[in-house]
């Protein structure tokens, strides 16, 4: 059941109505929300509900034992091994087998391991990370174990963030749940604005750009140099609209149930350093990687070399988290390299990075934007050969000139407008301005966005990109 | 849900509803543009409104009719006999279009004396032309039509355009997206003083001057093979490229059907419905003379590579009984060029449409039959 489907709209309306009816009955309400969340997941594959159930029971019970036993480290280790083991089995086993087959094929041509061909459980990367954060927080003494299995199951399974985040920490979720906050009219307006704008980002922005981007990555040999450049920029906006659109809908939905989710995107293409980009892009994953991986590895406490290595390893694993393919590993490695080099550059040219001069900021912004966009080529390409082919085509721009057709000119204009809007709303987010607006202005803008969704979204409903991760 | 007690969301939904209603009024004529399906339909609709009730002869069909008949010449010739002519042919038109135009003719064209309905063999494998036919029919639809538009284009929740049956907003999606892709088109469409003249809008004629003899079209692989030389003195490079792209659309993985010896209506209710609807629409056309049904020629590649074997018998099965009872008159031009001794490549401008040379031959044949229908003195 996709967020951008009629089925989901009907589902949400029913769940909201039930939530309103059951609001004062705490246990019944939470049971209803859990049942609705499991129904939502079962629409994709009911058998994999067992996997969510396993993770829920495992970490709920580990959480209870961990604080009570004299060996919390063992319980944490059990939780990590089982959680990461399940993730590895479903997400990475075939990748390892295929890589082993390719590697061993050089030594022994008859070598062949059969792949497992397991269906990747949707959302497994997200709910596994959330569950791990719970046990690690308990281990670190930053959280008390939850007594109610129902609450814990709801933390992992709550449908707005079940399949693609935001990755919410247990402490944040339980705090919100315990507040038993009823959505106010102002919050409701903000939530609806977020949902509608999020759907527009996905259905009008991302899906329309996909129609331009997909043929470029499908046949890189037949694209013009300018087309290759525009394809790269267009994909940067496509993935941003796709994922941030999903996140906006998730945050808006949760808000309608009185639960505030953390921000996940903050206009990332305005960043003037790669470090800042990661503070603006998929913020909840960046936070998770920082708190549970980078800091656990030692963070920046052991000198420059070790810090660089920690950064690189964190980003490498962050890349691998996205998917089982060498493209993602290299994408993560590339961002790790960016961060390491940027740290070195900050040490070498502190004035350049401290400067608030507009020219310097513009230069840094352009540099970061292009570093990020080049990395997206790796992320989007179906294989490394496609990525290399596109890079070669892009290089030819300087030899052959722009060769602009009317379509490429229109796309270049559109991308420039999108960047300007990104900059404009980065200073003052549209949904916040809308929530503060009067009824007529709110209705005019929201109605216009609804009309854009109905009239301008492409014909076929496309799944969200991050559902694959 | 306190926010529901505030007017904000309701006003936004009201705005959407108002636009939905506005798209069912003549204000949509402002969006006309000959280059898109809905735009062409709007253009035709506004021209018919302007001309009023005095139209005596019409042609209904798709782009094969648009390119297959010299409508301007036909219109001029009929006017010299005191008759007004309008071509209601629209690219992509199919059975749903025929149905909406039949109703229009019943209600708005009381002086209709003759109707030419142009068909080709490719139309008889389905009862509709997909969701984009809804975009063509949209300007002619009304509340309540959803009960029968769904017979031609079934509702599909995963394809928003199919909701055009019940919502004008969804029905106008093609047009809005067409205009949004190039805002200059919108500016052009909105410039009402720059619209073509009334005659130009009512006699839209497709004209392709080239032939296809410069390239090898003896088989689909030959057509698709870009390495084969093209004689540019006979066929331009653009036409060759476009023809290859068209050939790519002819490819079917499942292989051609074979309908010979099958009782199609017994095997599938779709065929039964297709026959019933076709016959019903032709009977309901309100012309004084029986409608003239013209079966147009098709490029041989179609019959060779794509069309189900036996489709010609199926077309005869649908129309034969009507012709026998004198409810329609059939004019089979599908083999007209064989009789003339010309090669197919000489009279086709692409693998769908005739060029002006082919158009001249078919127009002459249709004109002769139409003059007989109207009992006009032979030319």
């Amino acid at each position: 059941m996709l967020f951008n489907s009629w089925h989901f709209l009907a589902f949400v309306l029913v769940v909201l109505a039930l939530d309103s009816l059951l609001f004062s009955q705490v246990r019944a309400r939470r049971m209803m929300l859990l049942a609705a969340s499991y129904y939502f997941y079962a629409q994709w594959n009911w058998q994999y509900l067992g996997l969510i159930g396993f993770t829920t029971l495992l970490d709920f019970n580990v959480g209870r034992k961990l604080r009570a036993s004299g060996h919390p480290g063992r319980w944490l280790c059990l939780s990590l091994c089982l959680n990461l083991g399940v993730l590895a089995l479903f997400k990475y086993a075939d990748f390892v087998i295929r890589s082993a087959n390719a590697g061993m094929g050089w030594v022994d041509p008859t070598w062949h391991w059969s792949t497992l061909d397991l269906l990747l459980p949707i959302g497994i990367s997200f709910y596994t990370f959330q569950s791990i954060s719970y046990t690690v927080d308990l281990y670190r003494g930053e959280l008390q174990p939850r007594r109610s299995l129902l609450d814990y199951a709801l933390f992992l399974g709550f449908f707005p963030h079940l399949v693609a985040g935001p990755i919410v920490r247990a402490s944040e979720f339980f705090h919100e749940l315990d507040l038993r906050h009823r959505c106010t009219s102002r919050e409701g307006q903000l939530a609806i604005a977020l949902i509608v704008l999020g759907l527009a980002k996905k259905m009008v922005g991302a899906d329309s750009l996909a129609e331009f981007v997909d043929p470029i990555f499908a046949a890189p040999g037949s694209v013009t140099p300018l087309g290759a450049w525009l394809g790269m920029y267009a994909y940067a906006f496509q993935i941003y609209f796709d994922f941030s659109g999903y996140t906006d809908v998730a945050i808006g939905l949760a808000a309608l149930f009185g639960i505030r989710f953390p921000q996940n995107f903050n206009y990332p293409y305005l960043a003037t350093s790669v470090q800042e980009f990661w503070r603006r892009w998929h913020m909840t994953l960046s936070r998770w990687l920082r708190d549970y991986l980078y800091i656990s590895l030692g963070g920046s406490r052991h000198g420059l070399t070790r810090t660089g290595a920690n950064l690189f390893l964190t980003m490498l694993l962050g890349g691998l988290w996205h998917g089982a393919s060498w493209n993602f590993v290299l994408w993560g490695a590339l961002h790790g390299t960016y961060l390491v080099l940027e740290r070195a550059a900050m040490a070498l040219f502190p004035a350049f990075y401290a400067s608030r001069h507009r020219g310097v900021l513009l230069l840094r912004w352009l540099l970061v934007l292009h570093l990020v966009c080049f990395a997206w080529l790796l992320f989007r390409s179906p294989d490394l050969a496609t990525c290399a082919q596109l890079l070669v085509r892009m290089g030819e721009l300087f030899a052959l000139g722009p060769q602009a057709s009317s379509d490429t000119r229109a796309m270049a204009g559109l991308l420039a407008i999108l960047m300007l809007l990104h900059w404009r709303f980065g200073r003052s987010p549209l949904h916040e301005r809308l929530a503060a607006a009067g009824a007529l202005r709110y209705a005019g803008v929201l109605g216009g966005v609804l009309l854009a969704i109905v009239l301008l979204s492409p014909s076929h409903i496309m799944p969200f990109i991050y559902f694959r991760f | 849900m306190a926010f529901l007690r505030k007017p904000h969301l309701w006003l936004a939904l009201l705005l959407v509803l108002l636009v939905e209603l506005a798209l069912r009024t003549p204000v949509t004529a402002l969006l006309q543009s000959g280059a898109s399906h809905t735009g062409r339909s709007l253009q035709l609709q506004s021209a018919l409104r302007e001309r009023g009730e005095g139209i005596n002869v019409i042609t209904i069909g798709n782009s094969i009719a648009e390119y297959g008949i010299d409508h301007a010449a036909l219109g001029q010739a009929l006017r010299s006999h005191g008759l007004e002519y309008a071509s209601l042919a629209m690219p992509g038109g199919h059975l749903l279009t025929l149905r909406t135009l039949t109703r229009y003719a019943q209600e708005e064209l009381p002086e209709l004396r003759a109707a030419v309905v142009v068909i080709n063999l490719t139309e008889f494998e389905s009862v509709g032309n997909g969701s984009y036919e809804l975009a063509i029919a949209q300007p002619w639809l009304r509340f309540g039509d959803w009960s029968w538009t769904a017979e031609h284009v079934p509702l599909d929740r995963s394809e928003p355009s199919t909701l055009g049956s019940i919502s004008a907003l969804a029905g106008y999606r093609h047009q809005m997206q067409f205009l949004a892709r190039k805002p200059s088109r919108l500016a052009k469409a909105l410039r009402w003083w720059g619209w073509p003249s009334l005659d130009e809008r009512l006699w839209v004629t497709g004209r392709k001057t080239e032939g296809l003899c410069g390239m090898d079209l003896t088989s689909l692989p030959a057509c698709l093979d870009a390495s084969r030389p093209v004689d540019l003195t006979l066929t331009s490079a653009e036409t060759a490229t476009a023809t290859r792209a068209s050939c790519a659309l002819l490819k079917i993985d499942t292989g051609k059907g074979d309908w010979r010896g099958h009782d199609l209506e017994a095997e599938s209710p779709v065929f039964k419905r297709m026959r019933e609807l076709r016959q019903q629409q032709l009977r309901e056309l309100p012309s004084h003379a029986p409608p003239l049904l013209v079966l147009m020629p098709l490029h041989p590649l179609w019959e060779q590579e794509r069309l189900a074997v036996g489709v010609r018998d199926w077309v005869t099965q649908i129309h034969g009984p009507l012709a026998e009872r004198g409810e329609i008159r059939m004019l089979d031009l599908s083999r007209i060029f064989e009789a003339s001794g010309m090669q197919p490549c000489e009279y086709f401008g692409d693998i769908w449409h005739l060029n002006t040379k082919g158009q001249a031959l078919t127009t002459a044949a249709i004109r002769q039959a139409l003059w007989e229908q109207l009992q006009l003195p032979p030319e």
Side-chain angles (χ1 to χ4, degrees):
Chain A
M1 198 189 327
L2 299 172
F3 278 7
N4 48 338
S5 68
W6 295 103
H7 189 182
F8 185 74
L9 177 65
F11 164 79
V12 167
L13 290 176
V14 170
V15 179
L16 275 173
L18 289 172
D19 185 67
S20 195
L21 284 173
L22 297 171
F23 192 81
S24 55
Q25 300 164 50
V26 177
R27 194 170 166 74
R29 177 179 180 242
R30 290 178 189 177
M31 283 177 76
M32 184 278 295
L33 285 175
L34 183 64
S37 299
Y38 283 175
Y39 169 81
F40 169 77
Y41 196 83
Q43 292 306 300
W44 170 72
N45 187 321
W46 64 268
Q47 285 155 316
Y48 278 172
L49 270 177
L51 217 52
I52 296 181
F54 168 76
T55 308
T56 305
L57 286 172
L58 169 74
D59 287 324
F60 176 72
N61 286 307
V62 164
R64 292 174 68 184
K65 304 278 185 195
L66 192 141
R67 295 300 295 273
S69 85
H71 304 286
R74 288 182 191 171
W75 286 105
L76 178 66
C77 190
L78 174 74
S79 164
L80 289 176
C81 288
L82 286 175
N83 275 312
L84 295 176
V86 169
L87 188 62
L89 175 70
F90 282 94
K91 193 163 176 175
Y92 301 107
D94 280 352
F95 172 59
V96 172
I97 291 170
R98 273 193 291 270
S99 299
N101 284 343
M104 290 303 289
W106 292 92
V107 183
D108 176 6
T110 59
W111 174 282
H112 180 75
W113 277 353
S114 298
T115 51
L116 304 176
D117 293 330
L118 293 171
L119 180 64
L120 179 70
I122 202 165
I124 189 169
S125 309
F126 291 91
Y127 68 72
T128 302
F129 268 33
Q130 288 194 159
S131 212
I132 287 175
S133 79
Y134 173 70
T135 47
V136 174
D137 282 352
L138 285 175
Y139 177 77
R140 288 175 176 171
E142 294 171 2
L143 189 70
Q144 291 298 315
R146 196 73 184 179
R147 288 184 182 171
S148 161
L149 177 62
L150 175 62
D151 290 358
Y152 191 75
L154 194 57
F155 159 59
L156 283 195
F158 189 44
F159 74 90
H161 73 151
L162 175 56
V163 291
I167 300 170
V168 184
R169 294 172 79 146
S171 55
E172 291 168 334
F173 187 83
F174 293 136
H175 173 73
E176 292 292 318
L177 198 64
D178 293 340
L179 279 179
R180 292 173 56 201
H181 174 68
R182 198 189 271 270
C183 176
T184 64
S185 80
R186 173 79 183 265
E187 287 164 348
Q189 277 157 225
L190 184 66
I192 295 289
L194 261 176
I195 291 169
V196 172
L197 289 170
L199 286 174
K201 275 185 186 173
K202 162 65 182 160
M203 296 169 76
V204 182
D207 292 354
S208 300
L209 287 170
E211 292 186 344
F212 178 79
V213 170
D214 290 350
I216 289 172
F217 283 87
S222 56
V223 69
T224 63
L226 183 60
W229 279 92
L230 291 175
M232 178 184 76
Y233 296 130
Y235 182 66
F237 273 106
Q238 183 199 340
I239 193 166
Y240 168 66
F241 283 145
D242 196 286
F243 193 23
S244 74
Y246 165 84
T247 304
D248 288 349
V249 177
I251 293 173
L253 281 171
L256 289 179
F257 293 99
I259 291 179
R260 277 171 301 180
F261 277 172
Q263 192 180 5
N264 212 19
F265 287 89
N266 184 21
Y267 298 88
Y269 297 135
L270 298 182
T272 54
S273 70
V274 179
Q275 203 175 60
E276 188 190 352
F277 172 79
W278 281 104
R279 284 201 296 263
R280 290 170 174 266
W281 177 274
H282 204 173
M283 293 151 76
T284 55
L285 175 68
S286 303
R287 186 181 66 170
W288 195 99
L289 291 172
R290 183 197 65 202
D291 292 350
Y292 300 103
L293 191 58
Y294 178 69
I295 289 177
S296 301
L297 288 169
S300 54
R301 296 190 299 270
H302 303 287
L304 268 179
T305 312
R306 179 75 186 273
T307 303
N310 290 342
L311 265 178
F312 183 81
L313 192 61
T314 302
M315 294 313 291
L316 187 78
L317 292 172
L320 191 60
W321 173 88
H322 283 82
S325 114
W326 287 109
N327 285 46
F328 293 123
V329 175
L330 289 174
W331 175 76
L334 191 57
H335 269 284
T337 309
Y338 288 164
L339 286 171
V340 171
L341 291 177
E342 192 176 74
R343 274 199 170 236
M346 279 176 174
L348 286 171
F349 311 106
F352 180 73
Y353 280 93
S355 171
R356 305 309 296 166
H357 186 274
R358 280 186 181 181
V360 175
L361 286 175
L362 183 70
L363 196 64
R364 277 169 45 193
W365 169 73
L366 273 172
L367 178 70
V368 171
L369 180 70
H370 283 83
L371 289 175
V372 169
C373 287
F374 280 120
W376 285 136
L377 283 178
L378 267 173
F379 194 91
R380 172 62 180 81
S381 295
D383 48 50
L384 296 177
T386 303
C387 183
Q389 225 173 339
L390 276 171
L391 284 170
V392 169
R393 297 300 285 159
M394 289 163 73
E396 287 168 358
L397 181 76
F398 305 102
L400 301 175
Q403 296 173 309
S405 67
S406 61
D407 280 351
T408 49
R409 273 197 296 270
M411 180 50 69
L414 175 67
L415 291 170
I417 291 170
L418 290 177
M419 197 65 235
L420 280 173
L421 289 174
H422 195 70
W423 175 78
R424 177 73 188 84
F425 293 127
R427 294 155 63 106
S428 167
L430 181 59
H431 63 274
E432 285 175 12
R433 292 169 63 179
L434 259 186
L440 281 179
R441 188 182 237 194
Y442 181 94
V445 176
L446 202 73
V449 177
L450 280 170
L451 284 170
I453 292 173
V454 176
L455 291 169
L456 300 179
S457 58
S459 281
H460 293 285
I461 292 173
M462 299 184 205
F464 288 91
I465 294 172
Y466 264 68
F467 276 21
R468 284 183 287 149
F469 308 141
Chain B
M1 288 187 278
F3 66 96
L4 291 180
R5 288 194 286 273
K6 296 267 184 173
H8 297 62
L9 179 62
W10 301 118
L11 283 174
L13 294 175
L14 182 66
L15 177 69
V16 175
L17 184 65
L18 286 175
V19 177
E20 165 76 26
L21 294 174
L23 287 175
R24 293 172 186 271
T25 68
V27 77
T28 50
L30 290 171
L31 298 171
Q32 64 178 273
S33 160
S36 73
H37 290 294
T38 315
R40 169 92 179 87
S41 200
L42 287 166
Q43 192 177 57
L44 176 62
Q45 194 183 46
S46 79
L48 286 170
R49 277 199 195 112
E50 251 179 88
R51 179 70 86 205
E53 297 179 346
I55 289 169
N56 311 107
V57 182
I58 57 170
T59 291
I60 297 176
N62 55 24
S63 62
I64 288 181
E66 190 172 300
Y67 283 88
I69 300 173
D70 187 340
H71 300 283
L74 199 60
Q76 291 289 5
L78 284 166
R79 190 171 282 168
S80 68
H81 291 282
L83 298 170
E84 280 301 324
Y85 171 72
S87 166
L88 277 53
M90 287 180 283
H94 200 270
L95 197 47
L96 172 62
T97 315
L98 175 65
R99 199 168 181 171
T100 48
L101 292 179
T102 298
R103 182 175 65 184
Y104 179 84
Q106 283 173 339
E107 295 174 1
E108 307 291 338
L109 304 178
E111 294 174 37
L112 192 66
R113 288 178 56 183
V116 180
V117 179
V118 176
I119 59 169
N120 68 86
L121 293 176
T122 66
E123 288 175 38
F124 290 85
E125 292 178 307
S126 63
V127 287
N129 214 2
S131 66
Y132 87 104
E133 200 188 359
L134 273 175
I136 300 166
Q138 194 61 50
W140 316 83
L141 295 178
R142 302 174 193 155
F143 284 117
D145 284 349
W146 57 270
S147 59
W148 54 265
T149 48
E151 288 180 24
H152 302 273
V153 186
L155 286 175
D156 177 355
R157 279 185 310 186
S158 65
E159 199 187 332
S161 295
T162 64
L163 298 175
S165 293
I166 50 175
S167 157
L169 275 168
Y172 275 97
R173 281 167 46 83
H174 277 94
Q175 179 67 358
M176 296 301 184
Q177 290 179 17
F178 170 80
L179 295 173
R181 283 204 178 97
K182 282 196 180 163
S184 59
R185 290 168 176 160
L186 179 61
K188 200 173 170 187
L190 290 174
R191 265 189 13 235
W192 57 269
W193 61 91
W195 290 348
S197 71
L198 190 54
D199 282 347
E200 281 173 314
R201 281 182 279 155
L202 289 174
W203 299 343
V204 176
T205 303
R207 294 188 199 279
K208 287 177 184 282
T209 51
E210 276 183 64
L212 299 177
C213 294
M215 58 191 301
D216 183 358
L217 291 176
T218 49
S219 68
L220 202 52
C223 175
L224 291 170
D225 186 356
S227 65
R228 295 200 181 209
V230 176
D231 183 345
L232 296 175
T233 58
L234 298 169
T235 305
S236 68
E238 290 89 9
T239 302
T241 307
T243 305
R244 285 203 186 94
S246 304
C247 283
L249 297 175
L250 279 188
K251 271 176 76 175
I252 37 173
D253 299 330
T254 48
K256 281 168 47 144
D258 187 351
W259 295 356
R260 286 173 301 183
H262 287 257
D263 183 352
L264 295 173
E265 293 189 55
E267 286 175 23
S268 165
V270 173
F271 285 99
K272 185 168 183 290
R273 194 72 191 120
M274 194 192 308
R275 181 185 56 73
E276 288 170 354
L277 285 169
R278 280 269 169 195
Q279 291 182 342
Q280 185 188 340
Q281 297 318 310
L282 290 170
R283 281 197 192 107
E284 287 180 359
L285 264 173
S287 62
H288 296 179
L292 178 65
L293 192 78
V294 182
L295 181 61
M296 291 295 258
L298 207 56
H299 194 282
L301 264 183
W302 272 93
E303 284 203 58
Q304 192 181 307
E305 307 283 351
R306 178 69 183 256
L307 271 183
V309 182
V311 69
R312 190 177 288 275
D313 295 337
W314 170 236
V315 173
T316 309
Q317 203 178 317
I318 294 175
H319 301 106
L322 296 180
E324 280 168 21
R325 288 196 292 271
E327 291 176 284
I328 61 168
R329 182 180 166 197
M330 277 197 76
L331 179 63
D332 185 353
L333 299 182
S334 61
R335 308 277 188 227
I336 186 173
F337 301 110
E338 289 170 21
S340 73
M342 288 160 67
Q343 293 297 312
C345 66
E346 291 178 68
Y347 48 83
F348 276 95
D350 60 44
I351 60 165
W352 274 292
H353 307 114
L354 296 176
N355 60 19
T356 45
K357 206 169 175 182
Q359 187 188 71
L361 267 181
T362 48
T363 305
I366 291 168
R367 201 156 148 168
Q368 189 186 342
L370 189 58
W371 259 236
E372 287 169 19
Q373 291 286 89
L374 292 163
Q375 297 174 331
L376 295 174
E379 296 175 304

